[in-house]
Amino acid sequence: MTKEARILKQINEEIADFKKPIPMDESGSWMFNQLETINQAILYTNGKYIDGDIDEDDLKLYFYNITRQAVGTTAKAIDLDTKDILLKTEPGGDYIKTWFLQRDVKYWLKKQEFGKILNRISDELPQFGSVVLKYINGKAEFVNLKNFIVEQNADCLDFSNYIIEQHLYTPMEFRRIAKELDWDKDKVNKIIEEYRKGNNQYIRVFERYGEVEDDDGNWDYKKVIFADVPSNVQDVKRDIAEVFSGEILFETLVEKSPYEEFHTNKIPGRWLGVGVPEMISENQIRINEILNQQVKSSYWNTLRLWQGRDTGAARNLLKEAENGDVLDVDEFIQPVDMQDRNLSHFISEMNIIEANAQSQTFTTDIMRGERTPAGTTLGSTQLSASQAMSFFDKMRENYALQLKSFLFNFVIPGLSDKLNTEHIIKITGEDLDKLIEMSHNKIRKDRLLSYAVKNEKIPDNNALELLTSLTENEIRKNGEYQLTVDKDYYKDIEYDIDIDITGESQSATVKAQALFAYIQAISVDPTLITDPEKKKVMRMYLEQVGINMGDLTSSVPQQQPQQLGMVTRGAGGGISAPQGMEGVEGTVTL
């Protein structure tokens, strides 16, 4: 059997396995199908029925959507922004290096428009229960779960025997991507020729990660690109169909797949998380049944029927009777009672079902920003809001930890490869002041060396301080400063930093207390910020609560007025004027 035949057989077996529902309990009464669940989530969120919106009586079915607001409320509650991604120094790390890396990461997040990615994760995570990002060529891309084939009962992607992503390309896209990724040219042309023979719209490409048997019978974990021309394009566009023939365009050994997974409400026995539409699907089905029963009932309520025993009476009073006619009949003509007496029961049941859906998803009126029912006390409102927020805080924290894993597994290593080359970083705004503080000593050394070479003598302290001040003002003048970062500056940076996203490692109260204690400590013992050993202990203490000591202390020495050529006047405000400093100025000979 050829390699193409083996891959063809393997992909078909995996597609067939993926389409089969799997049992979630021992009895087999609870079955799960990933494709159907994803499709249901899409339809219910958008207010559509799985089997169409026309019933057996040829009447339209109306959709009372309780899913969309629950998904939207959850998305809003767990939303993350790029400003929430903060780097902090691990104990024993270099906080200056962390400070520079934070600026490089911030630039990468801005360049990649990562805020849009975070917003989309927040939107899709409650809808599907899972989101998959693909990191390729330094970019993060979303994976369409409808085209994502994985073992349904795998606990995570690393434990799945196969991961397959289906792509549909036009010939132009296919040729361009093949050129970019250096796929086999002869096989690419062969696939395009097959495409031209039939009435096709797309070329299908499978990107597969998993073990593959070679000609010697060995099994290796490989990335394989397999392309074919589907026989039924429309079926392929809607679903994942069987593969009939194709070509291997590319294959290579890899350590792992380029995918990072995000889950919410994970349950054992299946890979896909539980989204909000699946969680309240029974409520959505029942509330739609009640609504459409009311709609059908309203059709009868609008009819006006009459009954009587006189056979000589008109059969249709609306058409055969005129205004003012006197009906001469032997028996009274009476209206048929068509009134629906179940309306209050329908409304009551709908309210119960909707309240149950809200309680399951914690999307109560408080979380939606609506007014609470009359008579609800402030204490009860605050307690309900607190409990709901704690539920979403936990979900948001899990999302943040998975995002942290993505940054550590893909982004930071990818950035390190690029940033460990010599590159330029632009410092702007208030970061200039912090840069000057951290590089004050280096500026002094550079000015001292430059002055000594030019004038063949060492400047006095006053002159050196004035030269340093002029240099720092020159840095600030344009509002930005370009700094060269040396090669391998970020080498092994993952051991020096940690990523804090939602502040799960910080407490606002504890942080405030630590800052107040820090102020008290340096008031009693100012050497805490000058003595190396004491400063190290203080830095470790502050970093335990998420405070970077580099943001608090300055490496710039306290400058005396005479060093800047200033004449000191009376201080005023109850502070005594310095003695013996009047008229003292620094001078520089250039």
Side-chain angles (χ1 to χ4, degrees), residues 131-160:
V131 171
V132 177
L133 285 184
K134 182 181 182 182
Y135 189 80
I136 185 169
N137 296 330
K139 294 182 179 180
E141 300 176 354
F142 275 85
V143 174
N144 185 351
L145 292 182
K146 292 188 69 175
N147 293 328
F148 195 63
I149 305 171
V150 64
E151 272 192 306
Q152 297 182 87
N153 59 354
D155 184 63
C156 62
L157 292 180
D158 289 339
F159 294 166
S160 178

PDB file of all heavy atoms in Angstrom, residues 131-160:
ATOM      1  N   VAL A 131     -12.829  27.062  22.515  1.00  0.00           N
ATOM      2  CA  VAL A 131     -12.248  27.874  21.450  1.00  0.00           C
ATOM      3  C   VAL A 131     -10.845  27.345  21.197  1.00  0.00           C
ATOM      4  O   VAL A 131     -10.142  26.972  22.139  1.00  0.00           O
ATOM      5  CB  VAL A 131     -12.202  29.374  21.827  1.00  0.00           C
ATOM      6  CG1 VAL A 131     -11.400  30.171  20.803  1.00  0.00           C
ATOM      7  CG2 VAL A 131     -13.608  29.939  21.950  1.00  0.00           C
ATOM      8  N   VAL A 132     -10.440  27.312  19.938  1.00  0.00           N
ATOM      9  CA  VAL A 132      -9.099  26.845  19.579  1.00  0.00           C
ATOM     10  C   VAL A 132      -8.384  27.941  18.797  1.00  0.00           C
ATOM     11  O   VAL A 132      -8.927  28.462  17.815  1.00  0.00           O
ATOM     12  CB  VAL A 132      -9.142  25.553  18.737  1.00  0.00           C
ATOM     13  CG1 VAL A 132      -7.738  25.136  18.330  1.00  0.00           C
ATOM     14  CG2 VAL A 132      -9.822  24.431  19.517  1.00  0.00           C
ATOM     15  N   LEU A 133      -7.190  28.312  19.271  1.00  0.00           N
ATOM     16  CA  LEU A 133      -6.322  29.247  18.563  1.00  0.00           C
ATOM     17  C   LEU A 133      -5.176  28.476  17.925  1.00  0.00           C
ATOM     18  O   LEU A 133      -4.669  27.515  18.508  1.00  0.00           O
ATOM     19  CB  LEU A 133      -5.752  30.304  19.509  1.00  0.00           C
ATOM     20  CG  LEU A 133      -6.664  31.433  19.982  1.00  0.00           C
ATOM     21  CD1 LEU A 133      -5.878  32.420  20.823  1.00  0.00           C
ATOM     22  CD2 LEU A 133      -7.321  32.145  18.825  1.00  0.00           C
ATOM     23  N   LYS A 134      -4.784  28.938  16.765  1.00  0.00           N
ATOM     24  CA  LYS A 134      -3.658  28.334  16.057  1.00  0.00           C
ATOM     25  C   LYS A 134      -2.562  29.380  15.915  1.00  0.00           C
ATOM     26  O   LYS A 134      -2.789  30.457  15.355  1.00  0.00           O
ATOM     27  CB  LYS A 134      -4.123  27.845  14.685  1.00  0.00           C
ATOM     28  CG  LYS A 134      -3.056  27.150  13.859  1.00  0.00           C
ATOM     29  CD  LYS A 134      -3.659  26.739  12.517  1.00  0.00           C
ATOM     30  CE  LYS A 134      -2.667  25.990  11.661  1.00  0.00           C
ATOM     31  NZ  LYS A 134      -3.249  25.639  10.348  1.00  0.00           N
ATOM     32  N   TYR A 135      -1.373  29.065  16.417  1.00  0.00           N
ATOM     33  CA  TYR A 135      -0.250  30.009  16.350  1.00  0.00           C
ATOM     34  C   TYR A 135       0.676  29.559  15.225  1.00  0.00           C
ATOM     35  O   TYR A 135       1.296  28.506  15.289  1.00  0.00           O
ATOM     36  CB  TYR A 135       0.502  30.027  17.678  1.00  0.00           C
ATOM     37  CG  TYR A 135       1.539  31.133  17.774  1.00  0.00           C
ATOM     38  CD1 TYR A 135       1.148  32.434  18.086  1.00  0.00           C
ATOM     39  CD2 TYR A 135       2.877  30.874  17.539  1.00  0.00           C
ATOM     40  CE1 TYR A 135       2.076  33.449  18.185  1.00  0.00           C
ATOM     41  CE2 TYR A 135       3.818  31.883  17.630  1.00  0.00           C
ATOM     42  CZ  TYR A 135       3.414  33.169  17.948  1.00  0.00           C
ATOM     43  OH  TYR A 135       4.344  34.179  18.034  1.00  0.00           O
ATOM     44  N   ILE A 136       0.731  30.376  14.171  1.00  0.00           N
ATOM     45  CA  ILE A 136       1.521  30.019  13.009  1.00  0.00           C
ATOM     46  C   ILE A 136       2.130  31.278  12.413  1.00  0.00           C
ATOM     47  O   ILE A 136       1.462  32.310  12.293  1.00  0.00           O
ATOM     48  CB  ILE A 136       0.653  29.270  11.964  1.00  0.00           C
ATOM     49  CG1 ILE A 136       1.491  28.784  10.794  1.00  0.00           C
ATOM     50  CG2 ILE A 136      -0.504  30.117  11.504  1.00  0.00           C
ATOM     51  CD1 ILE A 136       0.750  27.828   9.877  1.00  0.00           C
ATOM     52  N   ASN A 137       3.418  31.201  12.102  1.00  0.00           N
ATOM     53  CA  ASN A 137       4.162  32.321  11.513  1.00  0.00           C
ATOM     54  C   ASN A 137       4.048  33.591  12.350  1.00  0.00           C
ATOM     55  O   ASN A 137       3.906  34.703  11.830  1.00  0.00           O
ATOM     56  CB  ASN A 137       3.669  32.602  10.083  1.00  0.00           C
ATOM     57  CG  ASN A 137       3.923  31.441   9.136  1.00  0.00           C
ATOM     58  OD1 ASN A 137       4.886  30.702   9.307  1.00  0.00           O
ATOM     59  ND2 ASN A 137       3.045  31.268   8.163  1.00  0.00           N
ATOM     60  N   GLY A 138       4.086  33.417  13.669  1.00  0.00           N
ATOM     61  CA  GLY A 138       4.050  34.564  14.562  1.00  0.00           C
ATOM     62  C   GLY A 138       2.692  35.207  14.714  1.00  0.00           C
ATOM     63  O   GLY A 138       2.578  36.303  15.266  1.00  0.00           O
ATOM     64  N   LYS A 139       1.624  34.540  14.245  1.00  0.00           N
ATOM     65  CA  LYS A 139       0.282  35.098  14.337  1.00  0.00           C
ATOM     66  C   LYS A 139      -0.665  34.099  14.988  1.00  0.00           C
ATOM     67  O   LYS A 139      -0.500  32.881  14.851  1.00  0.00           O
ATOM     68  CB  LYS A 139      -0.255  35.468  12.949  1.00  0.00           C
ATOM     69  CG  LYS A 139       0.503  36.597  12.262  1.00  0.00           C
ATOM     70  CD  LYS A 139      -0.133  36.929  10.920  1.00  0.00           C
ATOM     71  CE  LYS A 139       0.594  38.070  10.238  1.00  0.00           C
ATOM     72  NZ  LYS A 139      -0.017  38.410   8.919  1.00  0.00           N
ATOM     73  N   ALA A 140      -1.646  34.629  15.691  1.00  0.00           N
ATOM     74  CA  ALA A 140      -2.677  33.798  16.311  1.00  0.00           C
ATOM     75  C   ALA A 140      -3.930  33.850  15.442  1.00  0.00           C
ATOM     76  O   ALA A 140      -4.437  34.938  15.139  1.00  0.00           O
ATOM     77  CB  ALA A 140      -2.984  34.290  17.724  1.00  0.00           C
ATOM     78  N   GLU A 141      -4.422  32.678  15.033  1.00  0.00           N
ATOM     79  CA  GLU A 141      -5.597  32.594  14.174  1.00  0.00           C
ATOM     80  C   GLU A 141      -6.646  31.694  14.809  1.00  0.00           C
ATOM     81  O   GLU A 141      -6.319  30.737  15.518  1.00  0.00           O
ATOM     82  CB  GLU A 141      -5.218  32.038  12.792  1.00  0.00           C
ATOM     83  CG  GLU A 141      -4.188  32.879  12.040  1.00  0.00           C
ATOM     84  CD  GLU A 141      -3.784  32.249  10.726  1.00  0.00           C
ATOM     85  OE1 GLU A 141      -4.220  31.100  10.471  1.00  0.00           O
ATOM     86  OE2 GLU A 141      -3.026  32.878   9.967  1.00  0.00           O
ATOM     87  N   PHE A 142      -7.915  32.005  14.522  1.00  0.00           N
ATOM     88  CA  PHE A 142      -9.008  31.197  15.040  1.00  0.00           C
ATOM     89  C   PHE A 142      -9.233  29.970  14.171  1.00  0.00           C
ATOM     90  O   PHE A 142      -9.042  30.005  12.956  1.00  0.00           O
ATOM     91  CB  PHE A 142     -10.296  32.008  15.093  1.00  0.00           C
ATOM     92  CG  PHE A 142     -10.442  32.828  16.343  1.00  0.00           C
ATOM     93  CD1 PHE A 142      -9.862  34.077  16.427  1.00  0.00           C
ATOM     94  CD2 PHE A 142     -11.125  32.334  17.433  1.00  0.00           C
ATOM     95  CE1 PHE A 142      -9.976  34.832  17.569  1.00  0.00           C
ATOM     96  CE2 PHE A 142     -11.247  33.073  18.588  1.00  0.00           C
ATOM     97  CZ  PHE A 142     -10.677  34.335  18.662  1.00  0.00           C
ATOM     98  N   VAL A 143      -9.636  28.899  14.815  1.00  0.00           N
ATOM     99  CA  VAL A 143      -9.969  27.654  14.124  1.00  0.00           C
ATOM    100  C   VAL A 143     -11.490  27.507  14.119  1.00  0.00           C
ATOM    101  O   VAL A 143     -12.136  27.625  15.167  1.00  0.00           O
ATOM    102  CB  VAL A 143      -9.311  26.445  14.816  1.00  0.00           C
ATOM    103  CG1 VAL A 143      -9.783  25.150  14.175  1.00  0.00           C
ATOM    104  CG2 VAL A 143      -7.795  26.550  14.756  1.00  0.00           C
ATOM    105  N   ASN A 144     -12.041  27.253  12.942  1.00  0.00           N
ATOM    106  CA  ASN A 144     -13.473  27.005  12.816  1.00  0.00           C
ATOM    107  C   ASN A 144     -13.778  25.612  13.354  1.00  0.00           C
ATOM    108  O   ASN A 144     -13.361  24.609  12.780  1.00  0.00           O
ATOM    109  CB  ASN A 144     -13.884  27.123  11.340  1.00  0.00           C
ATOM    110  CG  ASN A 144     -15.389  27.000  11.153  1.00  0.00           C
ATOM    111  OD1 ASN A 144     -16.126  26.662  12.079  1.00  0.00           O
ATOM    112  ND2 ASN A 144     -15.850  27.272   9.951  1.00  0.00           N
ATOM    113  N   LEU A 145     -14.503  25.547  14.460  1.00  0.00           N
ATOM    114  CA  LEU A 145     -14.770  24.258  15.089  1.00  0.00           C
ATOM    115  C   LEU A 145     -15.600  23.332  14.207  1.00  0.00           C
ATOM    116  O   LEU A 145     -15.580  22.117  14.404  1.00  0.00           O
ATOM    117  CB  LEU A 145     -15.474  24.469  16.432  1.00  0.00           C
ATOM    118  CG  LEU A 145     -14.641  25.131  17.535  1.00  0.00           C
ATOM    119  CD1 LEU A 145     -15.448  25.231  18.822  1.00  0.00           C
ATOM    120  CD2 LEU A 145     -13.350  24.372  17.780  1.00  0.00           C
ATOM    121  N   LYS A 146     -16.313  23.873  13.236  1.00  0.00           N
ATOM    122  CA  LYS A 146     -17.081  23.020  12.312  1.00  0.00           C
ATOM    123  C   LYS A 146     -16.152  22.243  11.383  1.00  0.00           C
ATOM    124  O   LYS A 146     -16.562  21.252  10.803  1.00  0.00           O
ATOM    125  CB  LYS A 146     -18.046  23.880  11.498  1.00  0.00           C
ATOM    126  CG  LYS A 146     -19.176  24.500  12.307  1.00  0.00           C
ATOM    127  CD  LYS A 146     -20.190  25.174  11.413  1.00  0.00           C
ATOM    128  CE  LYS A 146     -20.961  24.165  10.598  1.00  0.00           C
ATOM    129  NZ  LYS A 146     -22.041  24.791   9.793  1.00  0.00           N
ATOM    130  N   ASN A 147     -14.923  22.736  11.228  1.00  0.00           N
ATOM    131  CA  ASN A 147     -13.945  22.060  10.368  1.00  0.00           C
ATOM    132  C   ASN A 147     -12.797  21.456  11.173  1.00  0.00           C
ATOM    133  O   ASN A 147     -11.727  21.206  10.626  1.00  0.00           O
ATOM    134  CB  ASN A 147     -13.373  23.056   9.342  1.00  0.00           C
ATOM    135  CG  ASN A 147     -14.404  23.514   8.343  1.00  0.00           C
ATOM    136  OD1 ASN A 147     -15.304  22.767   7.982  1.00  0.00           O
ATOM    137  ND2 ASN A 147     -14.300  24.758   7.902  1.00  0.00           N
ATOM    138  N   PHE A 148     -13.027  21.242  12.460  1.00  0.00           N
ATOM    139  CA  PHE A 148     -11.977  20.755  13.347  1.00  0.00           C
ATOM    140  C   PHE A 148     -12.329  19.344  13.805  1.00  0.00           C
ATOM    141  O   PHE A 148     -13.367  19.122  14.430  1.00  0.00           O
ATOM    142  CB  PHE A 148     -11.849  21.695  14.553  1.00  0.00           C
ATOM    143  CG  PHE A 148     -10.588  21.507  15.344  1.00  0.00           C
ATOM    144  CD1 PHE A 148      -9.344  21.747  14.783  1.00  0.00           C
ATOM    145  CD2 PHE A 148     -10.655  21.104  16.673  1.00  0.00           C
ATOM    146  CE1 PHE A 148      -8.185  21.597  15.519  1.00  0.00           C
ATOM    147  CE2 PHE A 148      -9.497  20.947  17.418  1.00  0.00           C
ATOM    148  CZ  PHE A 148      -8.259  21.195  16.842  1.00  0.00           C
ATOM    149  N   ILE A 149     -11.465  18.391  13.471  1.00  0.00           N
ATOM    150  CA  ILE A 149     -11.721  16.970  13.750  1.00  0.00           C
ATOM    151  C   ILE A 149     -10.750  16.518  14.832  1.00  0.00           C
ATOM    152  O   ILE A 149      -9.533  16.603  14.665  1.00  0.00           O
ATOM    153  CB  ILE A 149     -11.532  16.123  12.478  1.00  0.00           C
ATOM    154  CG1 ILE A 149     -12.416  16.656  11.348  1.00  0.00           C
ATOM    155  CG2 ILE A 149     -11.827  14.659  12.750  1.00  0.00           C
ATOM    156  CD1 ILE A 149     -12.128  16.026  10.002  1.00  0.00           C
ATOM    157  N   VAL A 150     -11.298  16.036  15.925  1.00  0.00           N
ATOM    158  CA  VAL A 150     -10.481  15.595  17.047  1.00  0.00           C
ATOM    159  C   VAL A 150     -11.210  14.435  17.730  1.00  0.00           C
ATOM    160  O   VAL A 150     -12.429  14.286  17.575  1.00  0.00           O
ATOM    161  CB  VAL A 150     -10.254  16.777  18.034  1.00  0.00           C
ATOM    162  CG1 VAL A 150     -11.565  17.223  18.640  1.00  0.00           C
ATOM    163  CG2 VAL A 150      -9.242  16.422  19.103  1.00  0.00           C
ATOM    164  N   GLU A 151     -10.488  13.612  18.443  1.00  0.00           N
ATOM    165  CA  GLU A 151     -11.150  12.534  19.184  1.00  0.00           C
ATOM    166  C   GLU A 151     -12.133  13.127  20.186  1.00  0.00           C
ATOM    167  O   GLU A 151     -11.744  13.917  21.056  1.00  0.00           O
ATOM    168  CB  GLU A 151     -10.105  11.680  19.919  1.00  0.00           C
ATOM    169  CG  GLU A 151      -9.563  10.540  19.088  1.00  0.00           C
ATOM    170  CD  GLU A 151      -8.771   9.552  19.932  1.00  0.00           C
ATOM    171  OE1 GLU A 151      -7.837   9.991  20.622  1.00  0.00           O
ATOM    172  OE2 GLU A 151      -9.080   8.358  19.882  1.00  0.00           O
ATOM    173  N   GLN A 152     -13.389  12.755  20.066  1.00  0.00           N
ATOM    174  CA  GLN A 152     -14.426  13.389  20.876  1.00  0.00           C
ATOM    175  C   GLN A 152     -14.266  13.122  22.366  1.00  0.00           C
ATOM    176  O   GLN A 152     -14.666  13.937  23.195  1.00  0.00           O
ATOM    177  CB  GLN A 152     -15.800  12.907  20.426  1.00  0.00           C
ATOM    178  CG  GLN A 152     -16.131  13.292  18.994  1.00  0.00           C
ATOM    179  CD  GLN A 152     -17.508  12.832  18.594  1.00  0.00           C
ATOM    180  OE1 GLN A 152     -18.505  13.514  18.805  1.00  0.00           O
ATOM    181  NE2 GLN A 152     -17.575  11.645  18.015  1.00  0.00           N
ATOM    182  N   ASN A 153     -13.680  11.971  22.714  1.00  0.00           N
ATOM    183  CA  ASN A 153     -13.557  11.624  24.138  1.00  0.00           C
ATOM    184  C   ASN A 153     -12.176  11.948  24.706  1.00  0.00           C
ATOM    185  O   ASN A 153     -11.853  11.535  25.819  1.00  0.00           O
ATOM    186  CB  ASN A 153     -13.872  10.142  24.358  1.00  0.00           C
ATOM    187  CG  ASN A 153     -12.941   9.236  23.552  1.00  0.00           C
ATOM    188  OD1 ASN A 153     -12.139   9.708  22.750  1.00  0.00           O
ATOM    189  ND2 ASN A 153     -13.063   7.940  23.760  1.00  0.00           N
ATOM    190  N   ALA A 154     -11.346  12.688  23.953  1.00  0.00           N
ATOM    191  CA  ALA A 154     -10.024  13.074  24.460  1.00  0.00           C
ATOM    192  C   ALA A 154     -10.178  14.139  25.538  1.00  0.00           C
ATOM    193  O   ALA A 154     -11.033  15.032  25.436  1.00  0.00           O
ATOM    194  CB  ALA A 154      -9.143  13.587  23.329  1.00  0.00           C
ATOM    195  N   ASP A 155      -9.349  14.058  26.566  1.00  0.00           N
ATOM    196  CA  ASP A 155      -9.414  15.049  27.631  1.00  0.00           C
ATOM    197  C   ASP A 155      -8.874  16.396  27.161  1.00  0.00           C
ATOM    198  O   ASP A 155      -9.379  17.445  27.549  1.00  0.00           O
ATOM    199  CB  ASP A 155      -8.619  14.561  28.845  1.00  0.00           C
ATOM    200  CG  ASP A 155      -8.738  15.498  30.024  1.00  0.00           C
ATOM    201  OD1 ASP A 155      -9.861  15.665  30.539  1.00  0.00           O
ATOM    202  OD2 ASP A 155      -7.712  16.102  30.423  1.00  0.00           O
ATOM    203  N   CYS A 156      -7.843  16.373  26.326  1.00  0.00           N
ATOM    204  CA  CYS A 156      -7.261  17.592  25.772  1.00  0.00           C
ATOM    205  C   CYS A 156      -6.614  17.240  24.433  1.00  0.00           C
ATOM    206  O   CYS A 156      -6.522  16.067  24.067  1.00  0.00           O
ATOM    207  CB  CYS A 156      -6.250  18.220  26.727  1.00  0.00           C
ATOM    208  SG  CYS A 156      -4.827  17.176  27.079  1.00  0.00           S
ATOM    209  N   LEU A 157      -6.175  18.242  23.703  1.00  0.00           N
ATOM    210  CA  LEU A 157      -5.601  18.006  22.374  1.00  0.00           C
ATOM    211  C   LEU A 157      -4.333  17.165  22.441  1.00  0.00           C
ATOM    212  O   LEU A 157      -4.062  16.380  21.526  1.00  0.00           O
ATOM    213  CB  LEU A 157      -5.310  19.341  21.684  1.00  0.00           C
ATOM    214  CG  LEU A 157      -6.535  20.184  21.294  1.00  0.00           C
ATOM    215  CD1 LEU A 157      -6.095  21.470  20.616  1.00  0.00           C
ATOM    216  CD2 LEU A 157      -7.469  19.394  20.388  1.00  0.00           C
ATOM    217  N   ASP A 158      -3.557  17.329  23.504  1.00  0.00           N
ATOM    218  CA  ASP A 158      -2.319  16.555  23.628  1.00  0.00           C
ATOM    219  C   ASP A 158      -2.590  15.062  23.769  1.00  0.00           C
ATOM    220  O   ASP A 158      -1.717  14.236  23.487  1.00  0.00           O
ATOM    221  CB  ASP A 158      -1.506  17.042  24.825  1.00  0.00           C
ATOM    222  CG  ASP A 158      -0.900  18.415  24.587  1.00  0.00           C
ATOM    223  OD1 ASP A 158      -0.774  18.806  23.410  1.00  0.00           O
ATOM    224  OD2 ASP A 158      -0.564  19.102  25.569  1.00  0.00           O
ATOM    225  N   PHE A 159      -3.793  14.694  24.221  1.00  0.00           N
ATOM    226  CA  PHE A 159      -4.138  13.293  24.418  1.00  0.00           C
ATOM    227  C   PHE A 159      -4.937  12.710  23.250  1.00  0.00           C
ATOM    228  O   PHE A 159      -5.347  11.556  23.301  1.00  0.00           O
ATOM    229  CB  PHE A 159      -4.948  13.116  25.700  1.00  0.00           C
ATOM    230  CG  PHE A 159      -4.176  13.417  26.957  1.00  0.00           C
ATOM    231  CD1 PHE A 159      -4.818  13.585  28.167  1.00  0.00           C
ATOM    232  CD2 PHE A 159      -2.799  13.540  26.924  1.00  0.00           C
ATOM    233  CE1 PHE A 159      -4.104  13.861  29.329  1.00  0.00           C
ATOM    234  CE2 PHE A 159      -2.080  13.828  28.070  1.00  0.00           C
ATOM    235  CZ  PHE A 159      -2.721  13.978  29.271  1.00  0.00           C
ATOM    236  N   SER A 160      -5.167  13.500  22.212  1.00  0.00           N
ATOM    237  CA  SER A 160      -5.923  13.022  21.064  1.00  0.00           C
ATOM    238  C   SER A 160      -4.994  12.311  20.089  1.00  0.00           C
ATOM    239  O   SER A 160      -3.898  12.797  19.788  1.00  0.00           O
ATOM    240  CB  SER A 160      -6.610  14.196  20.358  1.00  0.00           C
ATOM    241  OG  SER A 160      -7.309  13.753  19.223  1.00  0.00           O
TER     242      SER A 160
END
